[in-house]
Amino acid sequence: GTIAVPVSPHACQRRTTLNNRNRLFTDALNILAENAELSENEGPYLAFTRASSVLKSLPYNVTKMDDLKGIPNLGDHSRKLIEEILEGGTCNEVQDLIQNVRYQTLKKFTSIFGVGVKTADKWFKEGLRTLNELRASTIKFTKQQEAGLLYYEDLILPVTKVEADLIKQIIEEAVHRFLPSAIITLTGGFRRGKEYGHDVDFLITHREEGREEGLISKVISWMTAQGIILYDDITDNSYHKWKYKESETFDRFAKCFSIFKLQKMVHNLEPGRTCSHGSLAANETRGIGLAGHAGSPRHLTATAAKDKDWKAVRVDLVVAPFGQYAYALLGWTGSRLFERDLRRYAKHFGHMILNSHSLFDNKQNTFLLAATEEEIFAHLGLDYIPPQERNA
Ligand code: DCP
Ligand code: MG
């Protein structure tokens, strides 16, 4: 008979492509994970996320409980869910959740740029249920939330790979104006081969370390003058203030969370908005008018926003010094669980601290340098996993 290769309990030791053969189960588990996250139950959130992830990595469709023999990361709750779906096609707990008003409302509120679980929960407890109720309320929004509400309808649309590549060209043009040989890399889900994303993530560096300093504000200023930027929030590099032993969720690179104003291409019009509706020419005329007034979209009403010729897209720009580039690239490529398990693996099996800046070896009391992702995996004693197989 064949020798079964054991499935690792660590996402960073599994090859997970986008070809998920167990979507029926992973979709259900993701809903339970999401609900746990919205209730700030970290334990169940991780358990359901890990259960979903291990099923994504399997090279076969699960058709019977026996197919799960020896598969790690599946607790009683997750196994019960799989069994119920195998028997009847659905899971009651998931069906109930989808109908649950708290789940629906928190999911909607946290889909607003700048709104986290705590804020969403607070608004829910105050009796708020819809975006229009939020908009009509006396809530004091942050600048980020204001932008999130203003561009909400665009920002919930998936961003396509074509749009991501277009944004890359725009950023390249802007960056190269100030730093001609800067390197711009598409990271996040698109680097893992995804066709759609919720945003577009970029990493910027330059071979001569130090040349990248101050770049981000120049680039954003120039693009703002071009009318390309609808919102920006720049954070300066604060790595020098960091004690590397602090475990932090966020890195300390110079970065900008932004919203781009992306001109729609004619072939990019959504279905239903064809020439036969007779409004294409009118739209385009109006579109050109709008594009010329970069400052005014903030005051667009929901009605005026419907026929515009541009789309608001969330873009994250991160600038890394060249010596930290490989770590930044690994840290920003994801997936989130892959990153989490890389760090956990480094800590428990290598006695090392991994983050998006560096790898510190506690045994040798030294930083391990790396010019490529391959070298980082080697430092960790892991087989190299390419981005397309990090979709854990
Ligand atoms: N990241 C992380 N931990 C976080 C946030 C981000 O490790 N708390 C890393 C891994 C992500 C990458 O940054 O893959 C980009 O974050 P996104 O939220 O944009 O995630 P993706 O690009 O993977 O998904 P999406 O397609 O939804 O944008
Ligand atoms: Mg992304």
Side-chain angles (χ1 to χ4, degrees):
T2 50
I3 299 159
V5 178
V7 176
S8 171
H10 311 288
C12 56
Q13 284 185 314
R14 299 192 296 256
R15 296 178 185 272
T16 313
T17 66
L18 290 165
N19 180 18
N20 176 0
R21 292 170 152 99
N22 294 291
R23 207 166 299 270
L24 198 56
F25 312 110
T26 60
D27 282 352
L29 288 164
N30 288 346
I31 288 169
L32 295 194
E34 193 174 28
N35 180 57
E37 192 179 23
L38 293 173
S39 305
E40 294 185 274
N41 293 329
E42 181 74 359
Y45 161 74
L46 250 187
F48 291 128
T49 301
R50 289 194 193 289
S52 170
S53 177
V54 80
L55 294 181
K56 282 185 207 168
S57 77
L58 298 180
Y60 54 86
N61 304 358
V62 172
T63 60
K64 53 188 185 308
M65 287 313 281
D66 216 34
D67 292 339
L68 298 175
K69 251 188 173 169
I71 303 300
N73 300 355
L74 296 173
D76 287 346
H77 201 147
S78 295
R79 283 179 186 272
K80 280 248 151 44
L81 173 145
I82 296 166
E83 197 164 18
E84 196 181 334
I85 293 175
L86 279 172
E87 281 166 10
T90 58
C91 164
N92 273 331
E93 190 181 4
V94 172
Q95 295 307 312
D96 290 349
L97 259 183
I98 295 170
Q99 304 296 318
N100 182 285
V101 176
R102 183 183 182 273
Y103 170 79
Q104 289 175 352
T105 309
L106 263 69
K107 203 170 137 69
K108 187 185 292 156
F109 287 173
T110 54
S111 72
I112 304 166
F113 176 48
V115 179
V117 174
K118 286 198 165 63
T119 305
D121 188 53
K122 181 167 164 274
W123 292 344
F124 178 78
K125 283 178 177 144
E126 287 167 8
L128 295 154
R129 295 291 179 270
T130 67
L131 293 193
N132 281 336
E133 284 170 15
L134 288 182
R135 286 173 174 133
S137 75
T138 57
I139 293 169
K140 177 95 182 76
F141 296 112
T142 64
K143 288 270 169 252
Q144 205 172 40
Q145 292 164 352
E146 266 176 26
L149 279 168
L150 188 55
Y151 304 114
Y152 183 80
E153 283 70 24
D154 276 3
L155 298 184
I156 56 166
L157 297 175
V159 184
T160 66
K161 179 64 166 47
V162 171
E163 289 168 334
D165 288 333
L166 199 68
I167 292 168
K168 183 167 189 264
Q169 285 177 28
I170 293 167
I171 291 169
E172 264 165 356
E173 194 198 325
V175 167
H176 287 159
R177 242 161 220 280
F178 301 99
L179 203 51
S181 34
I183 301 160
I184 295 111
T185 311
L186 190 55
T187 62
F190 288 112
R191 184 162 182 256
R192 301 196 307 274
K194 283 173 67 178
E195 280 298 320
Y196 299 96
H198 97 282
D199 67 359
V200 194
D201 308 290
F202 291 99
L203 186 60
I204 304 167
T205 193
H206 192 282
R207 284 179 194 285
E208 294 162 48
E209 196 159 323
R211 294 284 298 279
E212 79 288 347
E213 282 172 28
L215 179 66
I216 211 148
S217 57
K218 288 183 226 165
V219 168
I220 294 294
S221 296
W222 186 79
M223 290 194 296
T224 301
Q226 302 299 305
I228 301 168
I229 303 295
L230 297 168
Y231 170 88
D232 70 88
D233 177 13
I234 298 176
T235 314
D236 290 329
N237 182 307
S238 62
Y239 186 56
H240 56 284
K241 296 177 190 161
W242 198 11
K243 297 179 214 81
Y244 62 89
K245 293 208 171 174
E246 290 170 2
S247 65
E248 280 186 19
T249 326
F250 297 109
D251 63 60
R252 290 182 165 235
F253 292 119
K255 61 171 72 69
C256 182
F257 299 130
S258 69
I259 300 176
F260 271 50
K261 180 177 186 175
L262 190 64
Q263 292 298 314
K264 281 184 190 168
M265 293 160 287
V266 174
H267 62 266
N268 212 22
L269 290 174
E270 60 263 37
R273 272 190 69 204
T274 59
C275 297
S276 62
H277 284 90
S279 58
L280 185 60
N283 283 342
E284 293 205 316
T285 316
R286 191 163 5 167
I288 289 158
L290 272 176
H293 297 85
S296 60
R298 290 188 65 83
H299 308 296
L300 269 184
T301 63
T303 351
K306 269 189 181 154
D307 284 326
K308 64 195 184 10
D309 73 339
W310 53 271
K311 178 183 176 182
V313 177
R314 275 273 300 113
V315 176
D316 286 346
L317 300 176
V318 180
V319 177
F322 196 62
Q324 298 168 25
Y325 176 70
Y327 287 102
L329 185 59
L330 181 60
W332 274 87
T333 297
S335 68
R336 270 158 197 252
L337 187 68
F338 193 91
E339 299 295 332
R340 193 172 182 139
D341 275 11
L342 267 178
R343 288 167 198 214
R344 185 176 63 149
Y345 189 90
K347 190 175 168 193
H348 290 125
F349 298 93
H351 306 286
M352 298 178 198
I353 302 165
L354 173 69
N355 56 48
S356 293
H357 296 274
S358 62
L359 180 62
F360 185 80
D361 186 336
N362 279 315
K363 303 181 299 305
Q364 303 179 55
N365 205 36
T366 182
F367 285 101
L368 302 176
L369 303 184
T372 63
E373 289 181 318
E374 282 87 343
E375 290 176 27
I376 305 173
F377 280 86
H379 284 322
L380 293 169
L382 288 168
D383 285 343
Y384 177 68
I385 309 278
Q388 298 80 353
E389 295 178 341
R390 295 180 204 162
N391 287 288

